[in-house]
Amino acid sequence: MPRLGEYQVERVSEADILSGHFKSTRERIAAAKGPVLVLHDTTEFTYQRERPDLIGMIKRIPKSRSRRLDGKPQTYTTCGILMHSSLAVTLERLPLGLSAVKFWTRKKFRGVAALRREVNLTRIPIETKESIRWLENLKQSTELFEKPSQCIHIGDREADIYELFCAAQEVGTHFLVRTCVSRLAGDGDHTVATIMDEVVVKGLHRIEVQESKGNPDQAVLEIRYRKIRILPAIGKQSRYPALTLTVIHADERGAPKNRKKIEWKLLTADRSSGAIARDAIEKLEWYSLRWKIEVFHKILKSGCRAEDSQLRTAQRLTNLISVFCIVSWRIFG
């Protein structure tokens, strides 16, 4: 009879914990009728530890009232884990489950501003950037679909990644993202912004929103849209092709009192022509569901109290958060 400790127990990974959930998500997607939205977002879990090196770093935060000799504010590095998650949701707002989850930490942290002073970020290969998680989750999520054309990937401005657009096209799926940069367009002598400035308002649409205190509110959006030939950044043009995509701008009429004014600049590649107001309104309705992934993350942190854990290593924390992901989906659903 083996004695205690005679056999080494293999460590369980987050992939092992989530594999059964991903399989069930695939089955629920197969049973769904019509398009399924896959909502993507990144969130942070912060911790205070005596040995932060056992977990990793995520960002620097200024110390209040503390200054260095040169007058600049002192900062401290926050210990924690980053998670990029993807949640499948029907058009009727029913969460079908997670389709992909990626965890990572940083051994050291360098801010984007510091990197920009040294290199042109558009010339760095996507494979060496943290944003590769967006491509990995897109591909993993799409594999759960028998028909990739049934899947529409939704992301905020962090998803404005040209390589992501190309990856979606390669696997035969669709995307709808909010843009943060005005890309080169046409033959390269215009930008998307200059072209859209010439497009007149083509319709109005009313959506339900929440103000800062969580109370329901409504917004009336002025809609402009146009199909545009969009180019990759100059440093990427030898590697990636130009894409013809639909650009949708939605600007709220008036100035709301208790929330930010809605100004959405969306980019999409999907089954519709994008040539009529009905198509543009459909995309606005889809994008308005993106907040559901933020609610899911809120359940993880406030409901499951994932940041209250006293576990001391990144591996143990990611395993625990993986369990909480499944619990949070059950609560959410």
Side-chain angles (χ1 to χ4, degrees):
M1 185 174 181
R3 293 173 297 184
L4 185 64
E6 185 171 341
Y7 298 118
Q8 182 178 1
V9 179
E10 294 185 4
R11 290 186 179 273
V12 176
S13 70
E14 66 268 16
D16 298 323
I17 294 169
L18 290 167
S19 60
H21 177 74
F22 293 151
K23 181 180 178 181
S24 297
T25 299
R26 178 196 294 271
E27 295 171 354
R28 287 186 287 268
I29 288 173
K33 296 181 180 179
V36 172
L37 308 181
V38 177
L39 315 176
H40 300 263
D41 199 18
T42 302
T43 192
E44 301 172 349
F45 298 91
T46 60
Y47 303 94
Q48 292 184 346
R49 295 291 189 273
E50 292 183 1
R51 291 282 309 278
D53 56 297
L54 296 177
I55 296 178
M57 314 299 175
I58 54 175
K59 60 184 176 183
R60 288 197 185 104
I61 297 178
K63 291 182 178 179
S64 59
R65 300 180 182 179
S66 297
R67 295 276 175 177
R68 302 186 315 198
L69 294 178
D70 58 6
K72 295 182 180 180
Q74 290 186 339
T75 61
Y76 67 91
T77 304
T78 305
C79 168
I81 293 172
L82 296 103
M83 180 183 79
H84 187 72
S85 54
S86 305
L87 179 70
V89 178
T90 67
L91 299 186
E92 293 74 30
R93 307 189 178 197
L94 176 65
L96 300 178
L98 290 162
S99 55
V101 176
K102 293 289 186 298
F103 295 97
W104 74 99
T105 61
R106 300 164 177 149
K107 294 299 182 183
K108 60 181 180 178
F109 177 77
R110 298 182 66 197
V112 173
L115 284 174
R116 283 200 178 109
R117 289 193 292 268
E118 300 177 14
V119 295
N120 183 342
L121 295 182
T122 63
R123 296 182 181 275
I124 299 176
I126 187 69
E127 293 80 8
T128 65
K129 297 180 181 180
E130 289 186 359
S131 49
I132 189 65
R133 273 78 183 184
W134 286 86
L135 277 69
E136 292 171 345
N137 275 30
L138 179 144
K139 293 176 181 178
Q140 181 179 331
S141 299
T142 304
E143 289 174 356
L144 300 184
F145 288 77
E146 293 181 4
K147 298 179 180 179
S149 59
Q150 182 191 10
C151 173
I152 299 96
H153 298 276
I154 311 287
D156 63 1
R157 284 174 287 194
E158 192 181 353
D160 188 5
I161 305 168
Y162 201 88
E163 292 89 340
L164 184 77
F165 310 157
C166 295
Q169 190 176 64
E170 289 173 4
V171 297
T173 189
H174 310 293
F175 66 86
L176 173 65
V177 303
R178 187 176 176 187
T179 62
C180 62
V181 296
S182 181
R183 301 184 180 279
L184 294 173
D187 294 326
D189 52 352
H190 294 84
T191 64
V192 172
T194 57
I195 293 176
M196 291 302 294
D197 284 343
E198 299 176 356
V199 179
V200 300
V201 174
K202 298 182 179 181
L204 300 176
H205 181 55
R206 188 184 303 272
I207 62 170
E208 303 290 332
V209 295
Q210 288 185 338
E211 44 105 89
S212 58
K213 296 182 180 180
N215 298 318
D217 195 8
Q218 290 188 336
V220 177
L221 306 179
E222 296 180 343
I223 307 170
R224 294 177 292 135
Y225 49 87
R226 181 169 175 175
K227 274 191 175 292
I228 299 177
R229 182 176 184 265
I230 296 178
L231 305 175
I234 293 175
K236 299 177 181 179
Q237 290 183 3
S238 61
R239 188 174 178 184
Y240 300 101
L243 299 173
T244 299
L245 306 173
T246 300
V247 179
I248 304 170
H249 284 190
D251 299 303
E252 183 176 1
R253 277 188 168 182
K257 293 183 179 180
N258 298 319
R259 57 177 174 81
K260 291 183 179 179
K261 184 176 181 178
I262 294 176
E263 295 176 318
W264 291 345
K265 296 180 180 179
L266 306 179
L267 200 60
T268 184
D270 56 45
R271 300 167 299 173
S272 65
S273 64
I276 58 177
R278 184 177 64 249
D279 293 333
I281 289 172
E282 180 184 55
K283 306 309 173 292
L284 294 176
E285 292 287 352
W286 290 356
Y287 187 77
S288 69
L289 296 179
R290 197 203 66 82
W291 63 272
K292 280 189 165 293
I293 189 75
E294 297 182 3
V295 175
F296 169 75
H297 289 158
K298 184 176 181 180
I299 295 172
L300 267 176
K301 296 179 180 181
S302 299
C304 294
R305 297 180 176 271
E307 292 177 309
D308 291 348
S309 171
Q310 297 301 308
L311 296 176
R312 290 177 290 179
T313 67
Q315 181 63 57
R316 292 173 181 175
L317 284 168
T318 54
N319 284 353
L320 178 64
I321 295 171
S322 297
V323 174
F324 284 162
C325 280
I326 300 172
V327 174
S328 296
W329 167 75
R330 294 295 298 267
I331 295 171
F332 194 21

